[in-house]
Structures are given as structure tokens and as C-alpha cells.
Amino acid sequence: MLVNGKLMEDYFNWLPWQVVINEPFRVTSTNNRFQLVAKVTGGGVNAQAEAIRHGIARALIEFDSGLKATLRRNGLVTRDSRIKESKKYGLKRARRAPQYTKR
């Protein structure tokens, strides 16, 4: 597995991140059957690991549509829909108001 041109073990050097990435293969019993080359940008390292996991799950569904039920049952097909909240007019950030001064 290559991630951004590095081995997965070097790019994701913390074991829980590696477990997250390998979860679709573990669930579908397809360990060591595929070569993986992934490019990820943005977010944090944990978000990148989860994005790769989601991409692997989608690729496995393209490869064999019979795996979709297994992957869905384990929550690997659903996209994380959280996005950054936009800044509001008159505020410093999305919800942070300017400091109130009484005097």
C-alpha cells in the first residue's frame, strides 16, 4: 500500500490509523488481494485515514457488488457529511461573537 508515495506504515505510523485503513479488507476477507495507491490532501491524519477507508470500501463495491451489504452493515459506505460551518456577518468566526464590554 502506497499513500502519497510512501508506504502506509511510514505515512500512518500509529497502529490505530493502519487498522482503520485495513478495516474494509478485514470485514470482506480480502486481505493481501489488492495493491493500493492513494493520494490524500487536506484535513488531519485521522480524517485522511478515514477517507482512504471510504475509498477502499467504494472500490471493493465496484469490484464485487455482493460485498456492499457487508460493508454497509459495518458502516463503511456512509460518507462523513460534516463540513466547516461558514462565517456569519458581524461575528468573528462561525459562532464566536465580539467580546462584550459593559463600560
Side-chain angles (χ1 to χ4, degrees), residues 35-56:
Q35 290 182 348
L36 175 72
V37 177
K39 289 186 177 181
V40 288
T41 58
V45 183
N46 189 60
Q48 289 181 352
E50 291 181 4
I52 292 173
R53 177 182 72 176
H54 187 249
I56 292 170

Side-chain angles (χ1 to χ4, degrees), residues 7 10 12 18-19 27 37 42 49 72 78 83 86 91 98-99:
L7 287 173
D10 296 335
F12 296 105
Q18 296 173 18
V19 171
V27 168
V37 177
R72 183 166 295 284
T78 306
I83 59 171
S86 61
L91 301 180
Q99 186 173 11

Side-chain angles (χ1 to χ4, degrees), residues 5-24:
K6 297 181 181 179
L7 287 173
M8 181 192 67
E9 291 80 14
D10 296 335
Y11 193 82
F12 296 105
N13 52 9
W14 193 43
L15 185 62
W17 291 329
Q18 296 173 18
V19 171
V20 165
I21 292 172
N22 287 317
E23 193 172 0

Side-chain angles (χ1 to χ4, degrees), residues 37-78:
V37 177
K39 289 186 177 181
V40 288
T41 58
V45 183
N46 189 60
Q48 289 181 352
E50 291 181 4
I52 292 173
R53 177 182 72 176
H54 187 249
I56 292 170
R58 291 180 64 162
L60 288 173
I61 291 171
E62 287 290 321
F63 176 73
D64 181 10
S65 60
L67 299 174
K68 185 172 185 173
T70 306
L71 292 167
R72 183 166 295 284
R73 197 174 322 114
N74 288 285
L76 301 176
V77 181
T78 306

